[in-house]
């Protein structure tokens, strides 16, 4: 049997750090604790954790700079933890290469769910060949044929809508910022702006969602971007 996944917690507030450590430990994961950026980077290189929970406000460096540094040499999933209301921080952290974020205060169930998503994604990326079909609920995307079905009925998408859908659907459960979506869908150096994403998202949703005010497949992360539904919540 393989050893339990190691979760590196980089957080300077002692109570928060202990809370996170106790929580992950009680769910069969191994916590590693660091209270500074320096300590966190040292543990990251020495112990190769499976997931990093990274507080953005650390005494000796900010989480954005750390995320960028880690991304130079590691693909380890990083979930940033930000203070309430700092939307820009979250967006910048995601643009810097973080995988997900949580806003304080958050619930234990939410944190564990996010950890499971990134762990599952790592496992899938290691083991499975690339998929040819993406399915969640009644939505099915045939990537080879470039066809999309909702409840077995084909829906016709424009090229941009299709790219938008598949860009998100290839990363289920993962939030993508407006900038990341613009780069992937429209390409580097595009003059398209976040409102273009919103416009095409609105038309895409009208085609694939039953109720565009309560979407099931592409969820809005307010002030940040979009997240494709996690097939196994
Ligand atoms: Ca802090």
């Amino acid at each position: 049997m393989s050893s339990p996944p190691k979760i590196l917690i980089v957080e300077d507030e002692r109570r928060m750090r202990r809370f996170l450590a106790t929580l992950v430990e009680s769910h069969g994961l191994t916590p590693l604790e660091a209270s500074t950026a320096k300590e966190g980077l040292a543990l990251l290189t020495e112990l190769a954790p499976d997931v990093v929970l990274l507080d953005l406000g650390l005494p000796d460096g900010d989480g954005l700079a750390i995320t960028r540094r880690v991304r130079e040499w590691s693909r380890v999933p990083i979930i940033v933890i930000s203070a309430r209301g700092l939307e820009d921080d979250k967006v910048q952290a995601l643009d810097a290469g973080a995988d997900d974020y949580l806003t304080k205060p958050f619930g234990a169930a939410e944190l564990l769910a996010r950890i499971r998503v990134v762990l599952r994604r790592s496992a899938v990326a290691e083991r499975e060949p690339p998929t040819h079909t993406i399915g969640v609920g009644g939505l099915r995307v045939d990537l080879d044929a470039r066809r999309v079905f909702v409840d077995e009925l084909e829906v016709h998408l424009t090229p941009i809508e299709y790219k938008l859908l598949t860009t998100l659907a290839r990363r289920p459960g993962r939030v993508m910022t407006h900038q990341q979506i613009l780069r992937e869908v429209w390409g580097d150096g595009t003059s398209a702006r976040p409102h273009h994403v919103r416009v095409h998202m609105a038309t895409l949703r009208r085609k694939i969602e039953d109720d565009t005010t309560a979407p099931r497949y592409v969820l809005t992360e307010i002030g940040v971007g979009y997240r494709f539904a996690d097939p196994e919540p």
Side-chain angles (χ1 to χ4, degrees):
M1 189 168 154
S2 58
S3 55
K6 297 190 286 278
I7 314 297
L8 173 60
I9 300 157
V10 190
E11 165 67 84
D12 58 318
E13 283 170 59
R14 188 177 170 278
R15 280 177 60 187
M16 185 64 168
R17 193 173 64 245
R18 290 305 305 151
F19 162 75
L20 294 171
T22 309
L23 180 67
V24 302
E25 193 159 30
S26 69
H27 285 77
L29 305 162
T30 303
L32 307 169
E33 295 180 51
S35 57
T36 62
K38 195 175 167 212
E39 210 182 330
L41 286 168
L43 289 181
L44 188 59
T45 21
E46 278 166 37
L47 302 173
D50 298 282
V51 178
V52 179
L53 300 181
L54 177 63
D55 178 34
L56 284 183
L58 293 165
D60 62 333
D62 78 288
L64 297 179
I66 298 166
T67 303
R68 276 188 215 102
R69 271 186 67 183
V70 171
R71 278 294 168 261
E72 288 169 11
W73 54 272
S74 169
R75 288 302 315 158
V76 64
I78 299 174
I79 301 174
V80 299
I81 297 174
S82 72
R84 184 190 272 287
L86 299 177
E87 303 294 334
D88 285 355
D89 282 1
K90 285 187 283 201
V91 172
Q92 287 180 46
L94 293 165
D95 281 337
D99 293 79
D100 207 343
Y101 67 87
L102 284 163
T103 304
K104 292 178 191 173
F106 50 82
E110 195 182 359
L111 171 70
L112 292 164
R114 299 293 170 83
I115 292 175
R116 277 196 299 272
V117 167
V118 292
L119 283 174
R120 192 164 62 233
R121 206 153 50 213
S122 307
V124 166
E126 266 176 32
R127 280 199 303 262
E128 290 181 8
T131 55
H132 298 280
T133 307
I134 299 167
V136 56
L139 177 72
R140 189 162 58 82
V141 184
D142 182 332
L143 295 168
D144 291 333
R146 299 177 68 91
R147 295 172 77 184
V148 178
F149 301 84
V150 176
D151 300 329
E152 304 303 322
L153 291 174
E154 185 163 14
V155 290
H156 296 279
L157 304 181
T158 64
I160 289 278
E161 290 161 0
Y162 179 79
K163 192 84 189 285
L164 190 54
L165 176 62
T166 52
T167 294
L168 289 154
R170 284 174 196 274
R171 302 164 180 79
R174 174 169 183 170
V175 61
M176 290 190 75
T177 66
H178 293 113
Q179 283 307 324
Q180 289 170 333
I181 294 169
L182 282 169
R183 270 201 303 272
E184 290 242 358
V185 176
W186 279 267
D188 280 331
T190 176
S191 60
R193 292 285 171 264
H195 78 264
H196 292 101
V197 179
R198 282 190 282 272
V199 168
H200 290 279
M201 184 60 74
T203 60
L204 170 63
R205 278 178 168 159
R206 278 199 290 275
K207 293 179 182 179
I208 64 168
E209 303 279 3
D210 284 340
D211 178 356
T212 55
T213 62
R216 286 185 299 166
Y217 303 123
V218 181
L219 315 175
T220 300
E221 294 282 316
I222 294 164
V224 177
Y226 298 95
R227 181 195 299 273
F228 192 75
D230 180 15
E232 301 165 50

